[in-house]
Amino acid sequence: MFRSVPTYRSRHISKSLPSLQARRTLFSASVNSPQHTSDGGASQGIDFSHLFKSCNRLQVAKLLHALVVVSGKAQSIFFSGKLVNVYAYLGDVSFARRTFDHIPNKDVYTWNSMVSAYVRTGHFREAVDCFYRFFLTSDLRPDFYTFAPVLKACKNPLDGMRIHCLVQKLGFEWDVFVTASLVHMYTRFRAFSNARKLFDDMPVRDMGCWNAMISGYCQNGNAAEALDVLTEMRLEGVIMDPVTIVSILPICAQLDDILNGMLIHVYAIKRGLEFDLFVSNALINMYAKFGKLANAQKVFCNMVVRDVVSWNSIIAAYEQNDDPDRALALFYNMQLTGISPDHLTLISLSSIVAQLGDSRSAKSVHGFVTRRGFIQKDVISGNSVVDMYGKLGDMNSARAVFEALPVKDVVSWNTLITGYAQNGLASEAIEAFDMMQEYKEVAPNQATWVSILPAYSSVGALRQGMRVHGLSIKTSLYLNIFVGTCLIDMYGKCGQLDDAMSLFYEVPKATSVPWNAIISCLGIHGLAEKALKLFREMREEGVKPDHITFVSLLSACSHSGLVEEGQWCFNVMKEEYRIEPILKHYGCMVDMFGRAGHLEMAYNFIKSMPVKPDASVWGALLGACRIHGNVDLGAIASERLFEVDSENVGYYVLLSNIYANVGKWEGVDKVRTHARDMGLRKTPGWSSIEANNKVDVFYTGNQSHPKCEEIYKELRSLNAKMKSLGYVPDYSFVLQDVEDDEKEHILMSHSERLVIAFGIISTPPKTPIRIFKNLRVCGDCHNATKYISKITEREIIVRDSNRFHHFKDGICSCGDYW
């Protein structure tokens, strides 16, 4: 695009520069021989044109510069301008500027060279300043070569509009080259009306102008407008070139229009463009977006020439379509061809290693990236390593890489927050978000809200989640489908179901994503019938459910005991929508049968499964055996369970509880001893509450809280009042063989009791109390909370590991079915 900047081919300078002997001969000859002094050719026997073309290293450029000085050509505008371009091409803008400053009488070509040098090396502000200095301090008039680089350098629309005014003032507005640059500039700033007006007013349009308009729309996601320009272009008989094809193919993927994409492929074949390197790379990317890996592979195999972009494209195609083994094999093939991986290759490789769960290879990737200096040079590489460790669950390594990043952008922070949230470290995710807000130069974006809202949902931080909702409204992102869905999920999981429903009716509902979120929320609140009603509305509106929809529906039916409705959903999924059940669906069905007391039906369902049951399926059956006290089937389920997952302490606790409930203390001791010998420790139960703008966490038996005495005093008072209303402690939920007095004290010290008492003494009377528990609420605490809600005239909202319980006036919303 920059006509004033020549291209230099890489040929070693040692073949071109005269040897020391040759220089001696040269200088002695210069005294006695006639000299050819044309700037464009040889001087004193030196072919400068050849030397400039052969200059491919900075040290060689400095030698050439010295030769120009010795030859008396340093004052030549022609040679000085070429030196400026050489230094810029080799990435040393400081030497380019020094050379430029020593030119006494600069012409337009020299100024253009310096502006282009700044643009080439990424010094855009300096390029614009240099242009202004050229225009304001010299008596020279810019030519049409001047405007293309400086318009590319504009980083704010004001500079672009000023330069546009100069273009009009100097009469260049009808130059095709300049106008195409203006179109590019306006589309970068999303000023499409300005760009389109310029384009429409052009008396003549070349291929560059059409491509500028199409690519401008494409790069800003304006797919429909890009296709309109393409249609107009074809109606005027203009033939698409490789640049047009490369611009338009991503739009086909964006519009999910594979037919048009394949027609463009056919067009490329007819025009003989299918072997063009850039076209082939774009075709691989397009087919990858559609999941057509066979087509992408065929294009790749038919390529005559492949560059690093080609290999990156095919590796990313398999990586992004959940085939990490094939992607890794292609990476090894790439290395065998001698093509060095770049930072984009390493980004794909990081994702491949994470998908494979290969922690050892992760260290190798990290080491490779570090040795190449990618982390120091490119923040994207560092972010990919943080993401890799996060997906592998190694948050200590992820944090260490994050801290080592020399520059942290918004993606860096989002990646760290997401890593913590997805690994169940909600408090750490919130801490990272708070740290991010202290960095004023980094502004949260859509991905930030999507990352942090699930963390607030996990700990029930309603006030903080509402604050994020307010911030998303300020940035007009709250109705974005992803942010809106996370807000629905946050309100639903923080007990504010009415707010979740209100927001659901505001966000776009063209896809299954928001429907899945609200159906899941209704399910965990025990409102399965409403969830099923919404599912019917979803079908009526023509929204296609996915496998997540049915997981949410089956889970809702399980929590509410709607066995027939759950079976209907399972059949609709398989027969009507042709969705093959995965283990999550089977687990929900077993859980639904088991909770309803149909243990034999659940066991038979497992035996009829076409896939091997995993721990979640056997765990659902074991949990049902605990609820209904079926020791024999529980033993069978636990035996199968420990075959597929012997290191989950929760399953040992379930089996231990089954034995304890029927008084088989020998079985309890045997299970606990086995778990202890394996080095497994029970997850401690805790409950949390948000009060006075602070989240307090209580563990069972906690006595370290500053208000410990007040809490236990309140509990004793509540206990006496409950007994006067008929409450009788259920000692079957005490899994220790101790005296009744001690059992009552253990029940009273459960974390949910402690947090309720704290909520009562820390909040105004008769206001709702919202608490969160990491484990399933015990039956005795469930019964006690009903009494407490009646005594205190409060609504108590409890979210345990399975669902919500809304206690009010001595009644729970679950109907004692959980």
Side-chain angles (χ1 to χ4, degrees):
M1 193 171 179
F2 307 123
R3 295 181 188 173
S4 60
V5 183
T7 303
Y8 301 93
R9 294 183 182 176
S10 299
R11 188 180 301 168
H12 202 283
I13 198 71
S14 62
K15 296 180 180 179
S16 305
L17 283 177
S19 65
L20 185 60
Q21 180 64 34
R23 293 185 199 175
R24 189 166 59 114
T25 307
L26 168 68
F27 295 135
S28 60
S30 66
V31 179
N32 303 310
S33 304
Q35 300 177 6
H36 183 67
T37 58
S38 170
D39 283 341
S43 177
Q44 302 175 344
I46 305 173
D47 186 354
F48 278 104
S49 176
H50 180 65
L51 292 179
F52 273 106
K53 289 178 181 177
S54 305
C55 197
N56 66 343
R57 286 188 294 124
L58 186 60
Q59 191 58 36
V60 174
K62 291 177 181 177
L63 289 172
L64 178 56
H65 192 168
L67 186 60
V68 169
V69 173
V70 169
S71 304
K73 295 293 181 182
Q75 301 301 311
S76 164
I77 293 177
F78 177 80
F79 281 107
S80 296
K82 288 178 80 68
L83 282 169
V84 169
N85 284 331
V86 167
Y87 282 128
Y89 177 78
L90 296 173
D92 195 327
V93 74
S94 61
F95 266 94
R97 183 64 197 228
R98 287 186 208 174
T99 306
F100 174 79
D101 288 340
H102 280 88
I103 301 172
N105 298 309
K106 303 174 182 71
D107 62 1
V108 175
Y109 169 78
T110 316
W111 282 100
N112 289 351
S113 298
M114 193 63 236
V115 172
S116 297
Y118 278 128
V119 174
R120 184 188 290 274
T121 54
H123 293 77
F124 298 123
R125 184 66 255 170
E126 290 85 348
V128 175
D129 291 342
C130 185
F131 169 78
Y132 285 146
R133 184 179 163 205
F134 165 34
F135 186 75
L136 297 173
T137 63
S138 73
D139 296 328
L140 300 170
R141 185 175 184 270
D143 61 14
F144 54 85
Y145 290 108
T146 310
F147 293 102
V150 76
L151 285 167
K152 182 180 178 181
C154 291
K155 288 300 172 186
N156 64 72
L158 185 59
D159 281 328
M161 293 174 75
R162 285 172 178 165
I163 294 169
H164 187 182
C165 290
L166 291 175
V167 166
Q168 290 181 312
K169 184 177 179 181
L170 297 172
F172 289 112
E173 67 269 28
W174 303 128
D175 181 90
V176 174
F177 187 59
V178 175
T179 306
S181 300
L182 284 167
V183 169
H184 262 305
M185 183 270 297
Y186 278 122
T187 55
R188 276 195 295 116
F189 296 121
R190 303 184 67 85
F192 296 111
S193 57
N194 296 31
R196 185 71 207 215
K197 187 176 188 308
L198 276 169
F199 180 78
D200 289 340
D201 288 347
M202 292 177 72
V204 178
R205 301 171 187 147
D206 67 357
M207 197 70 233
C209 296
W210 288 102
N211 287 340
M213 199 68 231
I214 291 170
S215 66
Y217 278 131
C218 291
Q219 290 167 10
N220 287 282
N222 295 65
E225 291 84 349
L227 291 176
D228 288 343
V229 176
L230 180 66
T231 303
E232 187 181 341
M233 169 183 163
R234 295 172 72 177
L235 288 173
E236 291 194 15
V238 181
I239 297 171
M240 288 192 290
D241 68 359
V243 177
T244 320
I245 294 172
V246 169
S247 297
I248 211 70
L249 282 174
I251 287 297
C252 297
Q254 185 182 327
L255 294 173
D256 198 24
D257 187 357
I258 191 169
L259 179 60
N260 256 325
M262 296 182 80
L263 287 173
I264 291 170
H265 189 180
V266 171
Y267 177 91
I269 293 171
K270 285 183 177 179
R271 292 289 173 181
L273 299 174
E274 77 273 23
F275 298 119
D276 180 274
L277 180 63
F278 301 106
V279 171
S280 295
N281 291 342
L283 284 167
I284 292 170
N285 285 324
M286 180 199 71
Y287 282 125
K289 293 290 191 299
F290 288 116
K292 302 290 184 182
L293 296 181
N295 299 46
Q297 185 69 55
K298 188 174 181 181
V299 172
F300 180 78
C301 291
N302 289 336
M303 292 178 74
V304 179
V305 178
R306 300 181 187 125
D307 62 0
V308 68
V309 177
S310 314
W311 284 99
N312 287 348
S313 299
I314 194 66
I315 290 169
Y318 284 99
E319 173 255 315
Q320 292 167 6
N321 284 280
D322 302 322
D323 192 350
D325 293 303
R326 178 62 181 149
L328 189 60
L330 282 163
F331 172 72
Y332 291 140
N333 290 343
M334 173 186 177
Q335 289 183 303
L336 292 174
T337 64
I339 294 179
S340 295
D342 62 7
H343 70 282
L344 292 177
T345 321
L346 271 299
I347 289 169
S348 290
L349 189 60
S350 299
S351 177
I352 291 165
V353 169
Q355 287 182 47
L356 292 171
D358 189 349
S359 298
R360 179 175 293 181
S361 293
K363 298 294 182 184
S364 299
V365 172
H366 186 185
F368 187 88
V369 171
T370 303
R371 287 194 301 275
R372 290 293 184 96
F374 287 152
I375 289 179
Q376 300 299 318
K377 297 175 187 174
D378 177 48
V379 69
I380 299 174
S381 299
N383 293 343
S384 68
V385 176
V386 175
D387 181 63
M388 173 185 69
Y389 279 127
K391 287 175 178 173
L392 290 169
D394 186 356
M395 286 310 300
N396 289 332
S397 296
R399 185 62 180 258
V401 175
F402 173 81
E403 297 291 355
L405 293 176
V407 177
K408 299 175 181 68
D409 62 6
V410 67
V411 178
S412 312
W413 288 99
N414 292 348
T415 306
L416 183 69
I417 293 166
T418 303
Y420 279 129
Q422 291 179 349
N423 283 285
L425 301 169
S427 298
E428 288 82 352
I430 293 167
E431 179 193 356
F433 176 66
D434 292 340
M435 287 172 58
M436 175 187 179
Q437 290 187 297
E438 293 175 9
Y439 285 78
K440 300 301 181 185
E441 62 271 19
V442 178
N445 61 9
Q446 169 190 319
T448 314
W449 309 137
V450 172
S451 301
I452 192 59
L453 283 168
Y456 289 142
S457 302
S458 296
V459 298
L462 177 61
R463 289 181 181 275
Q464 290 169 292
M466 291 173 71
R467 184 165 59 88
V468 168
H469 188 181
L471 291 170
S472 69
I473 291 172
K474 284 184 179 179
T475 53
S476 302
L477 285 173
Y478 75 106
L479 292 182
N480 171 279
I481 187 169
F482 300 108
V483 176
T485 299
C486 286
L487 285 168
I488 291 168
D489 182 70
M490 185 274 296
Y491 280 117
K493 288 180 178 175
C494 287
Q496 296 290 95
L497 194 54
D498 290 342
D499 291 328
M501 288 296 296
S502 297
L503 196 56
F504 168 73
Y505 287 112
E506 289 185 51
V507 300
K509 294 183 284 295
T511 69
S512 63
V513 177
W515 293 92
N516 293 347
I518 196 65
I519 288 171
S520 174
C521 289
L522 289 167
I524 62 174
H525 282 270
L527 301 172
E529 292 181 355
K530 285 189 176 180
L532 289 166
K533 182 182 176 184
L534 264 182
F535 175 61
R536 294 186 184 96
E537 288 180 21
M538 177 182 180
R539 297 177 75 192
E540 288 169 6
E541 293 191 19
V543 180
K544 186 178 178 182
D546 57 19
H547 70 281
I548 297 173
T549 315
F550 288 102
V551 169
S552 300
L553 282 169
L554 292 172
S555 178
C557 291
S558 174
H559 286 309
S560 298
L562 303 182
V563 176
E564 290 184 8
E565 290 83 348
Q567 289 176 302
W568 174 78
C569 290
F570 191 77
N571 291 331
V572 165
M573 175 182 72
K574 288 197 303 180
E575 295 169 11
E576 188 172 332
Y577 292 101
R578 304 295 179 188
I579 297 174
E580 281 300 313
I582 59 176
L583 285 166
K584 284 186 178 180
H585 298 118
Y586 288 117
C588 287
M589 290 295 289
V590 171
D591 187 59
M592 180 181 69
F593 289 135
R595 284 178 189 274
H598 305 306
L599 296 179
E600 287 300 323
M601 188 184 293
Y603 185 42
N604 291 331
F605 182 82
I606 293 174
K607 290 192 287 186
S608 67
M609 283 171 54
V611 294
K612 184 180 178 182
D614 68 351
S616 67
V617 175
W618 288 114
L621 181 61
L622 184 62
C625 291
R626 187 197 64 79
I627 294 170
H628 298 287
N630 192 324
V631 179
D632 295 334
L633 188 55
I636 295 171
S638 64
E639 186 180 342
R640 299 288 184 273
L641 183 56
F642 297 146
E643 288 175 2
V644 292
D645 186 0
S646 62
E647 296 185 358
N648 189 324
V649 69
Y651 299 137
Y652 291 92
V653 173
L654 271 178
L655 183 58
S656 171
N657 291 355
I658 292 173
Y659 285 128
N661 284 342
V662 294
K664 292 188 175 183
W665 299 109
E666 288 181 7
V668 172
D669 291 339
K670 185 178 177 181
V671 172
R672 289 180 177 177
T673 301
H674 183 58
R676 195 181 305 114
D677 291 344
M678 292 184 65
L680 304 176
R681 300 183 66 182
K682 179 184 174 183
T683 303
W686 58 261
S687 300
S688 67
I689 184 171
E690 186 180 16
N692 303 319
N693 296 319
K694 180 186 174 186
V695 176
D696 282 88
V697 179
F698 291 82
Y699 288 86
T700 296
N702 188 309
Q703 295 190 0
S704 60
H705 195 275
K707 293 188 176 182
C708 178
E709 288 187 14
E710 295 175 62
I711 290 168
Y712 278 98
K713 181 181 177 182
E714 181 66 27
L715 281 173
R716 286 191 291 271
S717 173
L718 287 170
N719 219 33
K721 292 176 182 177
M722 288 191 297
K723 285 183 176 180
S724 70
L725 293 176
Y727 164 72
V728 178
D730 188 346
Y731 298 142
S732 68
F733 290 96
V734 178
L735 306 177
Q736 289 102 328
D737 189 10
V738 295
E739 297 297 325
D740 287 355
D741 289 345
E742 182 63 20
K743 287 181 179 180
E744 185 170 351
H745 179 73
I746 290 170
L747 288 173
M748 194 172 70
S749 300
H750 278 187
S751 65
E752 50 265 60
R753 301 270 190 103
L754 296 173
V755 82
I756 289 172
F758 174 75
I760 290 170
I761 65 176
S762 303
T763 58
K766 300 185 180 181
T767 56
I769 296 174
R770 291 181 177 83
I771 69 171
F772 296 82
K773 182 173 171 61
N774 68 325
L775 304 177
R776 183 179 181 272
V777 66
C778 92
D780 185 71
C781 289
H782 186 272
N783 190 32
T785 307
K786 291 194 289 185
Y787 281 101
I788 294 170
S789 69
K790 188 171 185 178
I791 292 165
T792 59
E793 298 182 26
R794 290 177 183 256
E795 181 182 9
I796 302 175
I797 303 160
V798 180
R799 191 186 94 189
D800 67 10
S801 59
N802 289 329
R803 59 166 297 155
F804 269 90
H805 300 267
H806 294 256
F807 298 91
K808 192 173 183 180
D809 298 326
I811 299 170
C812 180
S813 61
C814 73
D816 295 339
Y817 185 92
W818 86 104

